[in-house]
Amino acid sequence: MPTFSLEKTVNSNRENVFEIFSNFQNYQRIIPQHYPSIRVRSMRGDVSVVEEHMILGDLELLIMAKHVSQKPFLHEMIVIGGDAKGSKIKQEFVELENGTKVLVDVDLKFKGKMRISVMFGKNNFKQNYDAVLDDFVKLAEN
């Protein structure tokens, strides 16, 4: 299944960039084109469980994800249920002199019918996820 890394340089300080990228409670409001609905199921300290409807290119995913944050360095999302169970997305935030470097590792896993459609479809996951990141970058720079 698709595994890839991406890197973005954002013209904003690390705390601000981390806040935009890791603020899953507001994904539905700030990037509804990628997250049409979000429902937080539980929050305990730096760990949250969230129901998410995510659009990645032409693929619609319904997932249950565990978000783990270590402010302002790291935000991880582990998919614990749904269409992409077992997937992981790790975002690291590195402070630069004039901004922030965001290092993203994505490991997507799909089950059942979704796996078959992914294997034979024309999905470019790296390009599609890169578009999601670009929208986060635009928000962080404004």
Side-chain angles (χ1 to χ4, degrees):
M1 289 283 104
T3 301
F4 53 89
S5 295
L6 296 164
E7 184 177 305
K8 295 285 178 189
T9 301
V10 187
N11 296 318
S12 186
N13 69 61
R14 180 169 60 182
E15 286 74 18
N16 182 54
V17 174
F18 178 88
E19 197 57 44
I20 298 289
F21 276 71
S22 67
N23 192 352
F24 55 84
Q25 300 101 311
N26 285 317
Y27 286 178
Q28 183 177 351
R29 185 178 59 76
I30 63 175
I31 51 170
Q33 66 275 30
H34 304 297
Y35 288 91
S37 70
I38 295 286
R39 195 164 88 176
V40 177
R41 303 300 290 171
S42 76
M43 293 178 82
R44 289 191 182 96
D46 295 335
V47 179
S48 301
V49 175
V50 184
E51 285 179 19
E52 302 178 15
H53 177 192
M54 180 183 188
I55 296 176
L56 193 58
D58 59 357
L59 202 59
E60 282 194 51
L61 303 171
L62 297 173
I63 60 175
M64 182 75 73
K66 180 167 84 172
H67 289 260
V68 181
S69 296
Q70 294 175 14
K71 188 176 184 174
F73 311 102
L74 183 68
H75 174 236
E76 292 182 287
M77 185 180 95
I78 300 108
V79 181
I80 57 175
D83 294 329
K85 185 177 180 180
S87 297
K88 294 179 184 168
I89 299 172
K90 178 176 148 187
Q91 301 170 334
E92 290 182 78
F93 303 88
V94 180
E95 196 163 18
L96 302 174
E97 192 174 316
N98 294 320
T100 305
K101 184 180 289 187
V102 182
L103 305 169
V104 183
D105 293 319
V106 180
D107 180 13
L108 297 174
K109 302 204 182 325
F110 298 102
K111 307 274 188 243
K113 287 186 221 170
M114 184 72 68
R115 182 182 186 132
I116 292 166
S117 71
V118 165
M119 286 169 46
F120 298 105
K122 293 182 173 39
N123 288 299
N124 186 337
F125 295 104
K126 187 172 183 176
Q127 185 178 339
N128 293 337
Y129 197 75
D130 194 50
V132 175
L133 291 178
D134 284 341
D135 286 342
F136 277 118
V137 169
K138 285 177 202 159
L139 287 165
E141 290 183 339
N142 289 332

PDB file of all heavy atoms in Angstrom, residues 90-109:
ATOM      1  N   LYS A  90       2.459  10.913  10.191  1.00  0.00           N
ATOM      2  CA  LYS A  90       3.297  11.571  11.195  1.00  0.00           C
ATOM      3  C   LYS A  90       3.771  12.907  10.644  1.00  0.00           C
ATOM      4  O   LYS A  90       4.306  12.969   9.544  1.00  0.00           O
ATOM      5  CB  LYS A  90       4.498  10.671  11.504  1.00  0.00           C
ATOM      6  CG  LYS A  90       5.472  11.243  12.494  1.00  0.00           C
ATOM      7  CD  LYS A  90       6.548  10.195  12.780  1.00  0.00           C
ATOM      8  CE  LYS A  90       7.869  10.825  13.085  1.00  0.00           C
ATOM      9  NZ  LYS A  90       8.923   9.818  13.199  1.00  0.00           N
ATOM     10  N   GLN A  91       3.533  13.965  11.398  1.00  0.00           N
ATOM     11  CA  GLN A  91       3.959  15.313  11.013  1.00  0.00           C
ATOM     12  C   GLN A  91       4.937  15.826  12.060  1.00  0.00           C
ATOM     13  O   GLN A  91       4.589  15.918  13.240  1.00  0.00           O
ATOM     14  CB  GLN A  91       2.752  16.261  10.942  1.00  0.00           C
ATOM     15  CG  GLN A  91       1.693  15.838   9.974  1.00  0.00           C
ATOM     16  CD  GLN A  91       0.420  16.652  10.103  1.00  0.00           C
ATOM     17  OE1 GLN A  91       0.116  17.198  11.151  1.00  0.00           O
ATOM     18  NE2 GLN A  91      -0.334  16.727   9.024  1.00  0.00           N
ATOM     19  N   GLU A  92       6.153  16.153  11.615  1.00  0.00           N
ATOM     20  CA  GLU A  92       7.162  16.736  12.498  1.00  0.00           C
ATOM     21  C   GLU A  92       7.351  18.192  12.108  1.00  0.00           C
ATOM     22  O   GLU A  92       7.390  18.517  10.922  1.00  0.00           O
ATOM     23  CB  GLU A  92       8.489  15.996  12.368  1.00  0.00           C
ATOM     24  CG  GLU A  92       8.465  14.599  12.934  1.00  0.00           C
ATOM     25  CD  GLU A  92       9.823  13.941  12.809  1.00  0.00           C
ATOM     26  OE1 GLU A  92      10.711  14.258  13.626  1.00  0.00           O
ATOM     27  OE2 GLU A  92       9.987  13.125  11.887  1.00  0.00           O
ATOM     28  N   PHE A  93       7.523  19.053  13.104  1.00  0.00           N
ATOM     29  CA  PHE A  93       7.645  20.491  12.885  1.00  0.00           C
ATOM     30  C   PHE A  93       9.025  20.945  13.344  1.00  0.00           C
ATOM     31  O   PHE A  93       9.336  20.866  14.534  1.00  0.00           O
ATOM     32  CB  PHE A  93       6.536  21.238  13.644  1.00  0.00           C
ATOM     33  CG  PHE A  93       5.162  20.762  13.246  1.00  0.00           C
ATOM     34  CD1 PHE A  93       4.568  19.685  13.890  1.00  0.00           C
ATOM     35  CD2 PHE A  93       4.490  21.363  12.195  1.00  0.00           C
ATOM     36  CE1 PHE A  93       3.314  19.223  13.511  1.00  0.00           C
ATOM     37  CE2 PHE A  93       3.234  20.913  11.805  1.00  0.00           C
ATOM     38  CZ  PHE A  93       2.651  19.835  12.453  1.00  0.00           C
ATOM     39  N   VAL A  94       9.842  21.401  12.401  1.00  0.00           N
ATOM     40  CA  VAL A  94      11.216  21.801  12.680  1.00  0.00           C
ATOM     41  C   VAL A  94      11.339  23.311  12.529  1.00  0.00           C
ATOM     42  O   VAL A  94      11.021  23.858  11.468  1.00  0.00           O
ATOM     43  CB  VAL A  94      12.197  21.087  11.708  1.00  0.00           C
ATOM     44  CG1 VAL A  94      13.637  21.499  12.001  1.00  0.00           C
ATOM     45  CG2 VAL A  94      12.026  19.570  11.767  1.00  0.00           C
ATOM     46  N   GLU A  95      11.802  23.957  13.592  1.00  0.00           N
ATOM     47  CA  GLU A  95      11.939  25.413  13.574  1.00  0.00           C
ATOM     48  C   GLU A  95      13.117  25.826  12.699  1.00  0.00           C
ATOM     49  O   GLU A  95      14.213  25.284  12.814  1.00  0.00           O
ATOM     50  CB  GLU A  95      12.145  25.916  15.003  1.00  0.00           C
ATOM     51  CG  GLU A  95      11.928  27.391  15.158  1.00  0.00           C
ATOM     52  CD  GLU A  95      11.722  27.784  16.613  1.00  0.00           C
ATOM     53  OE1 GLU A  95      12.077  27.007  17.510  1.00  0.00           O
ATOM     54  OE2 GLU A  95      11.202  28.883  16.829  1.00  0.00           O
ATOM     55  N   LEU A  96      12.865  26.758  11.790  1.00  0.00           N
ATOM     56  CA  LEU A  96      13.907  27.325  10.937  1.00  0.00           C
ATOM     57  C   LEU A  96      14.093  28.788  11.321  1.00  0.00           C
ATOM     58  O   LEU A  96      13.273  29.357  12.032  1.00  0.00           O
ATOM     59  CB  LEU A  96      13.499  27.234   9.457  1.00  0.00           C
ATOM     60  CG  LEU A  96      13.200  25.854   8.892  1.00  0.00           C
ATOM     61  CD1 LEU A  96      12.681  25.961   7.468  1.00  0.00           C
ATOM     62  CD2 LEU A  96      14.448  24.976   8.938  1.00  0.00           C
ATOM     63  N   GLU A  97      15.135  29.412  10.808  1.00  0.00           N
ATOM     64  CA  GLU A  97      15.390  30.817  11.120  1.00  0.00           C
ATOM     65  C   GLU A  97      14.224  31.701  10.672  1.00  0.00           C
ATOM     66  O   GLU A  97      13.805  32.604  11.381  1.00  0.00           O
ATOM     67  CB  GLU A  97      16.682  31.262  10.433  1.00  0.00           C
ATOM     68  CG  GLU A  97      17.178  32.595  10.937  1.00  0.00           C
ATOM     69  CD  GLU A  97      18.538  32.950  10.360  1.00  0.00           C
ATOM     70  OE1 GLU A  97      19.411  32.071  10.318  1.00  0.00           O
ATOM     71  OE2 GLU A  97      18.683  34.109   9.939  1.00  0.00           O
ATOM     72  N   ASN A  98      13.686  31.425   9.476  1.00  0.00           N
ATOM     73  CA  ASN A  98      12.600  32.262   8.933  1.00  0.00           C
ATOM     74  C   ASN A  98      11.331  31.464   8.650  1.00  0.00           C
ATOM     75  O   ASN A  98      10.650  31.716   7.676  1.00  0.00           O
ATOM     76  CB  ASN A  98      13.053  32.952   7.645  1.00  0.00           C
ATOM     77  CG  ASN A  98      14.162  33.946   7.902  1.00  0.00           C
ATOM     78  OD1 ASN A  98      14.131  34.651   8.901  1.00  0.00           O
ATOM     79  ND2 ASN A  98      15.128  33.989   7.018  1.00  0.00           N
ATOM     80  N   GLY A  99      11.040  30.484   9.469  1.00  0.00           N
ATOM     81  CA  GLY A  99       9.830  29.707   9.224  1.00  0.00           C
ATOM     82  C   GLY A  99       9.883  28.350   9.888  1.00  0.00           C
ATOM     83  O   GLY A  99      10.558  28.148  10.891  1.00  0.00           O
ATOM     84  N   THR A 100       9.168  27.408   9.276  1.00  0.00           N
ATOM     85  CA  THR A 100       9.046  26.064   9.831  1.00  0.00           C
ATOM     86  C   THR A 100       9.108  25.039   8.705  1.00  0.00           C
ATOM     87  O   THR A 100       8.470  25.223   7.660  1.00  0.00           O
ATOM     88  CB  THR A 100       7.690  25.909  10.564  1.00  0.00           C
ATOM     89  OG1 THR A 100       7.579  26.951  11.535  1.00  0.00           O
ATOM     90  CG2 THR A 100       7.550  24.561  11.230  1.00  0.00           C
ATOM     91  N   LYS A 101       9.842  23.989   8.937  1.00  0.00           N
ATOM     92  CA  LYS A 101       9.849  22.870   7.994  1.00  0.00           C
ATOM     93  C   LYS A 101       8.922  21.805   8.565  1.00  0.00           C
ATOM     94  O   LYS A 101       9.010  21.454   9.743  1.00  0.00           O
ATOM     95  CB  LYS A 101      11.260  22.305   7.830  1.00  0.00           C
ATOM     96  CG  LYS A 101      11.331  21.191   6.780  1.00  0.00           C
ATOM     97  CD  LYS A 101      12.731  20.640   6.634  1.00  0.00           C
ATOM     98  CE  LYS A 101      13.594  21.670   5.950  1.00  0.00           C
ATOM     99  NZ  LYS A 101      14.928  21.148   5.620  1.00  0.00           N
ATOM    100  N   VAL A 102       8.006  21.319   7.729  1.00  0.00           N
ATOM    101  CA  VAL A 102       7.086  20.268   8.136  1.00  0.00           C
ATOM    102  C   VAL A 102       7.483  19.005   7.380  1.00  0.00           C
ATOM    103  O   VAL A 102       7.494  18.983   6.146  1.00  0.00           O
ATOM    104  CB  VAL A 102       5.616  20.639   7.819  1.00  0.00           C
ATOM    105  CG1 VAL A 102       4.673  19.544   8.312  1.00  0.00           C
ATOM    106  CG2 VAL A 102       5.237  21.976   8.436  1.00  0.00           C
ATOM    107  N   LEU A 103       7.844  17.969   8.140  1.00  0.00           N
ATOM    108  CA  LEU A 103       8.211  16.676   7.566  1.00  0.00           C
ATOM    109  C   LEU A 103       7.046  15.723   7.799  1.00  0.00           C
ATOM    110  O   LEU A 103       6.612  15.536   8.938  1.00  0.00           O
ATOM    111  CB  LEU A 103       9.471  16.136   8.237  1.00  0.00           C
ATOM    112  CG  LEU A 103      10.679  17.063   8.206  1.00  0.00           C
ATOM    113  CD1 LEU A 103      11.787  16.549   9.116  1.00  0.00           C
ATOM    114  CD2 LEU A 103      11.181  17.229   6.788  1.00  0.00           C
ATOM    115  N   VAL A 104       6.538  15.127   6.719  1.00  0.00           N
ATOM    116  CA  VAL A 104       5.351  14.285   6.818  1.00  0.00           C
ATOM    117  C   VAL A 104       5.657  12.898   6.275  1.00  0.00           C
ATOM    118  O   VAL A 104       6.135  12.758   5.145  1.00  0.00           O
ATOM    119  CB  VAL A 104       4.166  14.905   6.030  1.00  0.00           C
ATOM    120  CG1 VAL A 104       2.920  14.059   6.194  1.00  0.00           C
ATOM    121  CG2 VAL A 104       3.906  16.339   6.481  1.00  0.00           C
ATOM    122  N   ASP A 105       5.388  11.878   7.094  1.00  0.00           N
ATOM    123  CA  ASP A 105       5.492  10.481   6.666  1.00  0.00           C
ATOM    124  C   ASP A 105       4.091   9.906   6.644  1.00  0.00           C
ATOM    125  O   ASP A 105       3.360   9.987   7.639  1.00  0.00           O
ATOM    126  CB  ASP A 105       6.364   9.670   7.636  1.00  0.00           C
ATOM    127  CG  ASP A 105       7.817  10.103   7.599  1.00  0.00           C
ATOM    128  OD1 ASP A 105       8.335  10.356   6.492  1.00  0.00           O
ATOM    129  OD2 ASP A 105       8.434  10.205   8.675  1.00  0.00           O
ATOM    130  N   VAL A 106       3.716   9.318   5.502  1.00  0.00           N
ATOM    131  CA  VAL A 106       2.375   8.774   5.322  1.00  0.00           C
ATOM    132  C   VAL A 106       2.481   7.287   4.979  1.00  0.00           C
ATOM    133  O   VAL A 106       3.233   6.906   4.079  1.00  0.00           O
ATOM    134  CB  VAL A 106       1.623   9.509   4.183  1.00  0.00           C
ATOM    135  CG1 VAL A 106       0.228   8.938   3.989  1.00  0.00           C
ATOM    136  CG2 VAL A 106       1.559  11.012   4.465  1.00  0.00           C
ATOM    137  N   ASP A 107       1.747   6.458   5.715  1.00  0.00           N
ATOM    138  CA  ASP A 107       1.686   5.026   5.449  1.00  0.00           C
ATOM    139  C   ASP A 107       0.207   4.664   5.395  1.00  0.00           C
ATOM    140  O   ASP A 107      -0.455   4.546   6.428  1.00  0.00           O
ATOM    141  CB  ASP A 107       2.404   4.251   6.559  1.00  0.00           C
ATOM    142  CG  ASP A 107       2.375   2.749   6.337  1.00  0.00           C
ATOM    143  OD1 ASP A 107       2.031   2.299   5.228  1.00  0.00           O
ATOM    144  OD2 ASP A 107       2.691   2.013   7.300  1.00  0.00           O
ATOM    145  N   LEU A 108      -0.324   4.543   4.174  1.00  0.00           N
ATOM    146  CA  LEU A 108      -1.750   4.263   3.990  1.00  0.00           C
ATOM    147  C   LEU A 108      -1.990   2.765   3.832  1.00  0.00           C
ATOM    148  O   LEU A 108      -1.258   2.081   3.124  1.00  0.00           O
ATOM    149  CB  LEU A 108      -2.280   4.994   2.753  1.00  0.00           C
ATOM    150  CG  LEU A 108      -2.229   6.516   2.803  1.00  0.00           C
ATOM    151  CD1 LEU A 108      -2.644   7.097   1.461  1.00  0.00           C
ATOM    152  CD2 LEU A 108      -3.120   7.048   3.911  1.00  0.00           C
ATOM    153  N   LYS A 109      -3.033   2.291   4.512  1.00  0.00           N
ATOM    154  CA  LYS A 109      -3.437   0.889   4.402  1.00  0.00           C
ATOM    155  C   LYS A 109      -4.946   0.873   4.137  1.00  0.00           C
ATOM    156  O   LYS A 109      -5.681   1.665   4.702  1.00  0.00           O
ATOM    157  CB  LYS A 109      -3.131   0.148   5.692  1.00  0.00           C
ATOM    158  CG  LYS A 109      -1.653   0.195   6.081  1.00  0.00           C
ATOM    159  CD  LYS A 109      -1.295  -0.946   6.962  1.00  0.00           C
ATOM    160  CE  LYS A 109       0.136  -0.966   7.443  1.00  0.00           C
ATOM    161  NZ  LYS A 109       1.168  -0.503   6.578  1.00  0.00           N
TER     162      LYS A 109
END
